[in-house]
Amino acid sequence: MPYPLEWDTSTGKQKKLPALKVNPIRGVLPYDGYRNPLTRSSSASRVSMTVATAATKGQDKVYHFDGQREMAVGVEAMLSPELYGLEVQLPPIFYPYGKKKPNEHSFDLRITFRDGFRRAVFVRNGNSLASQKTQDEIRAVFEATPASFADDKIVVNGDHYTRAYRDNLLRVFGATKAVDEDADRHVLDRARSGHYWLMCELLAQCDIECERAFDAVLRHIGKGVITANWHAVISEYSRIWLA
């Protein structure tokens, strides 16, 4: 039933609540970030998920992300076979920026590769990155970051991670959690020897269950062996081709 126009259905100003805490999960390592971002927000969608890496010896661990973009950067990093470990909500870097008292900034992520190289990641939306104020702030943060914290530091424009791109990352990442080497070999053989334009045409040439073949295609897309348009929903009707 629609409300009369004079009714105010807004929730008004909400009382600030403490950050949500995730209770211990059996068999899953707890969250260990410097700060807990799971607070109420009108502009960001907080994300919590469990992920296993080589650093956790294959055991799932709880990760909290400030928003969808930060989560997408983390998931994209985890698709790389060179990734060793992932950290989020790092301890703050104190830097001078127009005040007597130093400001502080926590890098969104720190990625550790298998060769030990560590990369700190600063994620921000395109509008913010276009401002001189943000550029000055980034410069100050990077200059104040000690060499012991990371081997290099990068800025990522979160606008690159559109909704379709984020959904595809999660779908591909979900497929990588299952190991099916026989399906992967079979699908890749058909992809190299067959003729197709759409994914469904490749799936039709496979002699295994469609679900297994579909997940194998997703894994090959994640590895970059097969290519698709990441900014459109990847499905059986997607245009795909060998990289």
Side-chain angles (χ1 to χ4, degrees):
M1 163 175 176
Y3 294 110
L5 292 178
E6 64 270 16
W7 284 21
D8 182 6
T9 59
S10 67
T11 56
K13 187 175 181 179
Q14 298 293 298
K15 179 181 178 182
K16 186 175 182 179
L17 299 175
L20 294 174
K21 292 184 179 180
V22 176
N23 291 328
I25 305 172
R26 185 176 182 180
V28 177
L29 297 174
Y31 173 73
D32 61 358
Y34 179 81
R35 56 179 284 270
N36 182 354
L38 300 185
T39 55
R40 187 199 305 270
S41 173
S42 60
S43 58
S45 178
R46 313 301 192 193
V47 180
S48 185
M49 62 191 300
T50 59
V51 173
T53 65
T56 65
K57 296 180 172 59
Q59 185 175 2
D60 276 337
K61 179 180 176 180
V62 176
Y63 290 84
H64 298 329
F65 296 93
D66 265 322
Q68 298 278 348
R69 294 181 177 93
E70 291 80 3
M71 175 275 296
V73 175
V75 171
E76 188 172 57
M78 287 183 283
L79 289 176
S80 169
E82 300 305 316
L83 179 120
Y84 175 76
L86 179 71
E87 299 166 89
V88 296
Q89 310 304 329
L90 281 303
I93 300 296
F94 294 91
Y95 64 98
Y97 186 66
K99 296 180 180 179
K100 293 182 179 179
K101 184 178 180 181
N103 287 356
E104 60 179 68
H105 172 78
S106 292
F107 278 94
D108 297 289
L109 309 98
R110 182 166 58 189
I111 301 165
T112 301
F113 297 90
R114 291 185 181 275
D115 61 1
F117 189 89
R118 296 187 303 166
R119 172 169 293 154
V121 185
F122 183 110
V123 184
R124 194 65 65 85
N125 64 67
N127 285 337
S128 178
L129 291 175
S131 74
Q132 187 59 50
K133 179 181 179 181
T134 299
Q135 290 299 319
D136 292 342
E137 179 186 1
I138 291 172
R139 188 177 301 107
V141 171
F142 281 20
E143 289 177 353
T145 302
S148 59
F149 184 87
D151 296 292
D152 80 344
K153 306 163 288 290
I154 65 170
V155 176
V156 173
N157 186 338
D159 291 352
H160 173 71
Y161 297 91
T162 60
R163 180 173 181 177
Y165 197 110
R166 298 195 305 265
D167 289 347
N168 287 328
L169 281 171
L170 290 173
R171 191 175 295 109
V172 170
F173 183 63
T176 64
K177 290 187 174 183
V179 177
D180 193 343
E181 295 180 356
D182 290 339
D184 291 352
R185 283 193 293 268
H186 179 77
V187 168
L188 185 57
D189 177 69
R190 290 293 187 271
R192 287 172 171 166
S193 61
H195 299 282
Y196 51 88
W197 183 266
L198 304 178
M199 187 196 299
C200 59
E201 295 170 345
L202 172 60
L203 298 179
Q205 299 174 44
C206 295
D207 298 326
I208 59 176
E209 296 87 346
C210 186
E211 293 79 5
R212 289 179 65 197
F214 182 82
D215 284 347
V217 173
L218 290 182
R219 286 190 288 272
H220 286 308
I221 291 174
K223 295 175 184 176
V225 178
I226 293 177
T227 304
N229 180 5
W230 283 82
H231 293 284
V233 176
I234 298 176
S235 72
E236 62 268 31
Y237 301 107
S238 296
R239 163 81 173 104
I240 61 171
W241 60 97
L242 283 171

